[in-house]
Amino acid sequence: MKEFPLNTSLKATLSVTATALSVASAVSFSSFAQASDSTLSEQLGIADHAVIAHRGDSYNAPESTLPAYQLACEVGADYLELDLQRTKDGKLIAVHDDNLKRNTNIETVYPERAGDPVNTFTWAELEKLDAGSWFNHSYPERARESFRGLKLVTLDQVREIAENCAHQPGLYIETKVPEFFPGIEQDLKQDLTEHGWLDDDAKGKVILQTFNKSSLEALQDVMPNVPKILLLWAGDGYIPTKDSAPKADDESYAQYYARQEVASKAGYAEWLDYAKEHGAIGVGPSGTQANFDDAWSSQFSYMDLAKSWMVDMSHEKGLLMHMYTLDDREDLIRYRERGVDGFFTNRPNVAVKALTDSDGKDIEATLTQLGY
Ligand code: G3P
Ligand code: CA
């Protein structure tokens, strides 16, 4: 279950309009065509129908670990996605949840601190955790002995994987629970700058993302020239929804989310306008998977915030749309036909096959070649 934020047919093919120019200027184009049939993505240095590996290839390997990111790289993901948090001693690391209970053995290693947030641990303490065995227990059909004892990873490790694999993916970095990490936006800038990832010739190699409006503003403040996506959610504190019955006990979260609807087009538009006014080049809405009752999918299927009118509205405002989180070919094709520009996916191999001419890679053989 998602622990939520707390805890072309119609592509964005735009002529150079005042809108597109204002977006373009936010990312410092050195040369911008006077008139262009290229997509807004291309103009921003971002792949069309970008495949964004969500916590790596987190279907075939434990999320946010070395094999997950290495595998995502090998299968040809355009971006490696990570949720950025910071240890007590200042190390930037990739962790999704606001504690480490779900995907490490912290309850065994630090039982009294198991529910504590990442920022209360030093990196040396966190390096003692096993971030792989939970996957073998949860998904025995995809378990590998080599996953046992995997470590959490740092931003630097993910960056080095991207730098050292043939496909050279970019990094798609979310400031996660940023209220726990004041100043993390500046720390991120420093790290990326030191390693050349914010150089002029790295256009489109880093995309920043957040659900948090304050963090978007902070990111814009410290990295005004780096593309940013405001992630969208609906419900309390986010896009207003129509009244609906509370979640029933026998209902999955995916079923509950699937029946949520935004209250009005105006309410949706307000979030797009906010994103644009604060420097975002696009938005990242949730989507509903067609088969959301499947045990895997039910964790990643949410409200449909990428309906056709929503995609069109985003493009009319000059905003890209990168949606989360699709793992089935059917869903990827369906949303691509609505005009969605990029996809967070736990299964980058499936997405590469669905969205390109590639036959994809043999996952088993690739993991073995990688030493797992
Ligand atoms: O970052 C896009 C998508 O990852 C948002 O959902 O909760 O998996 O970070 P979450
Ligand atoms: Ca994320």
Side-chain angles (χ1 to χ4, degrees):
M1 186 232 9
K2 181 179 177 65
E3 298 221 10
F4 193 68
L6 268 179
N7 151 3
T8 141
S9 51
L10 176 64
K11 287 194 292 186
T13 303
L14 301 178
S15 297
V16 176
T17 61
T19 301
L21 275 169
S22 84
V23 172
S25 64
V27 291
S28 299
F29 283 100
S30 52
S31 64
F32 196 69
Q34 283 83 36
S36 170
D37 287 331
S38 64
T39 65
L40 183 55
S41 298
E42 288 166 349
Q43 292 163 14
L44 294 165
I46 297 167
D48 257 338
H49 305 129
V51 173
I52 305 155
H54 184 242
R55 312 178 202 168
D57 184 327
S58 52
Y59 181 83
N60 291 301
E63 68 180 60
S64 310
T65 63
L66 291 180
Y69 286 115
Q70 289 169 318
L71 185 58
C73 236
E74 292 299 321
V75 303
D78 295 302
Y79 289 94
L80 306 182
E81 194 261 356
L82 65 99
D83 302 291
L84 193 71
Q85 300 199 38
R86 187 178 61 203
T87 64
K88 187 176 179 181
D89 53 340
K91 186 78 81 178
L92 296 176
I93 67 171
V95 171
H96 177 269
D97 296 1
D98 56 9
N99 66 51
L100 292 151
K101 288 200 280 191
R102 181 177 58 87
N103 63 345
T104 73
N105 62 340
I106 195 165
E107 290 179 286
T108 304
V109 180
Y110 305 112
E112 259 121 64
R113 303 165 68 193
D116 294 354
V118 165
N119 64 358
T120 63
F121 294 88
T122 63
W123 176 238
E125 288 173 329
L126 294 184
E127 278 191 302
K128 296 189 168 70
L129 299 178
D130 172 349
S133 292
W134 71 274
F135 181 89
N136 288 351
H137 296 134
S138 297
Y139 306 110
E141 66 281 15
R142 302 196 286 282
R144 300 174 88 84
E145 176 58 25
S146 55
F147 291 162
R148 191 158 59 87
L150 288 172
K151 304 298 181 194
L152 296 168
V153 295
T154 64
L155 168 65
D156 287 345
Q157 287 176 296
V158 182
R159 175 181 50 72
E160 284 164 11
I161 289 170
E163 288 169 348
N164 289 307
C165 103
H167 191 68
Q168 300 268 295
L171 296 175
Y172 207 121
I173 305 169
E174 178 181 353
T175 50
K176 189 58 98 184
V177 284
E179 58 273 30
F180 285 3
F181 307 107
I184 196 168
E185 297 85 1
Q186 178 64 37
D187 294 347
L188 175 59
K189 176 190 178 179
Q190 187 174 329
D191 187 282
L192 294 171
T193 302
E194 277 171 13
H195 297 98
W197 276 69
L198 299 186
D199 292 354
D200 287 345
D201 61 0
K203 189 176 92 173
K205 293 301 280 185
V206 177
I207 302 180
L208 307 171
Q209 44 157 345
T210 184
F211 284 102
N212 184 294
K213 287 180 173 177
S214 299
S215 193
L216 175 64
E217 292 177 28
L219 290 169
Q220 177 65 5
D221 195 33
V222 300
M223 290 179 272
N225 297 331
V226 180
K228 285 160 222 83
I229 294 282
L230 180 63
L231 299 167
L232 302 181
W233 186 252
D236 286 350
Y238 294 88
I239 300 170
T241 52
K242 291 180 180 166
D243 289 341
S244 70
K247 180 183 163 305
D249 289 344
D250 62 350
E251 187 176 39
S252 70
Y253 274 95
Q255 289 168 326
Y256 170 72
Y257 291 139
R259 60 182 175 77
Q260 305 305 306
E261 288 187 68
V262 303
S264 68
K265 289 189 177 182
Y268 189 86
E270 272 183 33
W271 279 74
L272 303 191
D273 291 338
Y274 182 91
K276 184 164 179 171
E277 283 160 15
H278 292 85
I281 54 107
V283 289
S286 59
T288 305
Q289 302 191 8
N291 300 306
F292 54 74
D293 283 333
D294 162 77
W296 174 262
S297 303
S298 64
Q299 305 171 79
F300 300 104
S301 185
Y302 312 113
M303 297 78 68
D304 188 355
L305 298 180
K307 294 182 187 297
S308 290
W309 68 261
M310 298 166 168
V311 182
D312 292 348
M313 181 188 284
S314 297
H315 289 166
E316 281 156 15
K317 291 177 183 289
L319 293 166
L320 287 182
M321 185 171 269
H322 287 173
M323 68 179 294
Y324 63 97
T325 304
L326 302 183
D327 291 344
D328 288 350
R329 176 185 179 85
E330 170 188 359
D331 290 317
L332 290 154
I333 301 296
R334 179 166 56 96
Y335 278 107
R336 183 182 65 179
E337 285 175 356
R338 291 187 194 177
V340 171
D341 304 290
F343 304 92
F344 294 83
T345 178
N346 302 300
R347 305 188 70 178
N349 201 41
V350 169
V352 167
K353 282 195 278 189
L355 300 170
T356 73
D357 294 332
S358 164
D359 291 334
K361 290 247 190 164
D362 181 317
I363 295 294
E364 177 70 29
T366 307
L367 277 170
T368 301
Q369 278 166 9
L370 288 167
Y372 295 101

